[in-house]
Amino acid sequence: MESFLFWLWSVSGVFSGYQVISSNNPIMSVFWLILAFLNAAFLLLLLGLEFLPILFCIVYGGAIGIMFLFVVMLLNIKL
């Protein structure tokens, strides 16, 4: 079961990382970036670490990802 979860989150992390750089919409790119951070946190949780996944979710997903999202939304980019 752990092997399946590892591969699931690894493939999901690689896919979301690819979508960050290939997305045409910058807002969707930030959403994919937050998903990549969460996938990294789940992989660390699967390894048995407890503090680093919580730190990843709070610092990267919660603070930096949301800050990027607000900055991109405030830029008023016309598609």
Side-chain angles (χ1 to χ4, degrees):
M1 183 67 180
E2 286 183 17
S3 177
F4 173 72
L5 289 175
F6 176 79
W7 281 104
L8 178 73
W9 283 325
S10 297
V11 169
S12 178
V14 169
F15 178 73
S16 61
Y18 174 74
Q19 289 295 326
V20 169
I21 60 173
S22 67
S23 179
N24 290 332
N25 189 352
I27 294 174
M28 289 304 295
S29 180
V30 173
F31 283 138
W32 285 111
L33 181 67
I34 293 172
L35 183 64
F37 289 152
L38 291 177
N39 284 325
F42 284 135
L43 283 173
L44 288 172
L45 190 64
L46 190 62
L47 289 174
L49 302 173
E50 296 174 355
F51 179 69
L52 283 178
I54 295 170
L55 189 71
F56 265 42
C57 288
I58 292 172
V59 173
Y60 289 121
I64 295 175
I66 300 300
M67 181 189 65
F68 284 163
L69 180 66
F70 285 146
V71 166
V72 167
M73 289 173 66
L74 287 174
L75 288 177
N76 198 11
I77 298 173
K78 304 236 189 299
L79 295 177

